[in-house]
Amino acid sequence: MIKNFIFDLGNVVLKLKWDIVINKFTSNDAERKLLHETIFGSVEWEKLDEGIITVNEAISIMQSKLPDHLHHVCNKIMDTWTEGLVINNEMLDFIEKIRKSGYKTYILSNAPLTIPPFLTKNNLDKYFDGKVISAEIKLVKPHKEIYEYILKEFSLNSSESFFIDDRKENIEAAQKLNINGYIFDYNNFNGLL
């Protein structure tokens, strides 16, 4: 019997709308594409999620891959990227509903250290009984250790837990530890229900 729901943040609780941020600084399609790939699609972004690189180190490496005239844009995007996080109100309604029914709710997210203050600032902490943010513990999905960590940290039984994530590989990794899961697509919210 399911007692716990575990939620990813990106493209589940929060819609990742990087264009909102990038478009503030350039209208050139080629530059937008380059900035998206160099920042949000980069190895450095993944390392920020893992907590093994600082923001300044990431920016320096990202800038080295960009033409000089985009260095200041890279800085500005890295300063304001959380403006591209759009709260998924449908998901918050769902979380409120299941919490009222007695389920416990948790966050398990690959995310940088900027995210915990963002959650607090936007009053999102109240929707969850606990959270595991990858950069804080230096473990990332889909490695099994991060799933083992959340189970141990909050004394969760894997067979009583249900994980909602937008990536197939993360759900498959959870299933190997007997955590049921669902690959979420916020464009098809009804598929979850």
Side-chain angles (χ1 to χ4, degrees), residues 114-128:
T114 316
I115 286 297
F118 173 87
L119 296 174
T120 301
K121 178 183 170 190
N122 287 279
N123 206 22
L124 294 174
D125 292 324
K126 69 179 183 180
Y127 292 94
F128 302 98

Side-chain angles (χ1 to χ4, degrees), residues 36-190:
H36 187 280
E37 290 171 0
T38 305
I39 297 173
F40 301 112
S42 69
V43 171
E44 292 72 42
W45 192 261
E46 292 176 8
K47 288 180 178 181
L48 286 169
D49 282 354
E50 199 171 348
I52 59 172
I53 191 173
T54 68
V55 172
N56 287 338
E57 288 169 334
I59 290 171
S60 179
I61 296 167
M62 290 169 181
Q63 286 178 337
S64 74
K65 300 174 187 178
L66 292 167
D68 289 349
H69 74 279
L70 290 179
H71 286 193
H72 74 286
V73 174
C74 179
N75 271 334
K76 289 180 179 179
I77 290 171
M78 289 299 289
D79 283 344
T80 61
W81 70 268
T82 56
E83 292 174 19
L85 301 176
V86 178
I87 295 168
N88 184 348
N89 289 311
E90 273 186 305
M91 185 57 80
L92 292 188
D93 291 344
F94 174 74
I95 292 168
E96 275 190 323
K97 182 178 173 184
I98 62 175
R99 285 174 66 82
K100 285 177 184 170
S101 298
Y103 293 98
K104 297 286 189 183
T105 56
Y106 301 89
I107 292 170
L108 178 62
S109 185
N110 286 355
L113 295 172
T114 316
I115 286 297
F118 173 87
L119 296 174
T120 301
K121 178 183 170 190
N122 287 279
N123 206 22
L124 294 174
D125 292 324
K126 69 179 183 180
Y127 292 94
F128 302 98
D129 296 286
K131 63 181 179 285
V132 172
I133 303 298
S134 60
E136 293 185 322
I137 61 167
K138 295 182 172 44
L139 297 171
V140 291
K141 299 175 292 182
H143 298 294
K144 71 174 185 172
E145 291 82 6
I146 196 167
Y147 302 95
E148 292 169 342
Y149 183 94
I150 194 169
L151 295 174
K152 184 177 179 185
E153 180 72 10
F154 299 109
S155 302
L156 307 179
N157 183 322
S158 61
S159 63
E160 295 174 346
S161 302
F162 191 84
F163 180 44
I164 300 169
D165 194 288
D166 65 317
R167 293 180 179 249
K168 181 180 179 186
E169 64 269 25
N170 293 341
I171 296 298
E172 289 173 346
Q175 289 170 334
K176 288 178 184 172
L177 292 172
N178 204 29
I179 301 169
N180 289 310
Y182 178 77
I183 303 167
F184 182 71
D185 175 0
Y186 66 73
N187 294 309
N188 180 25
F189 187 85
N190 291 334

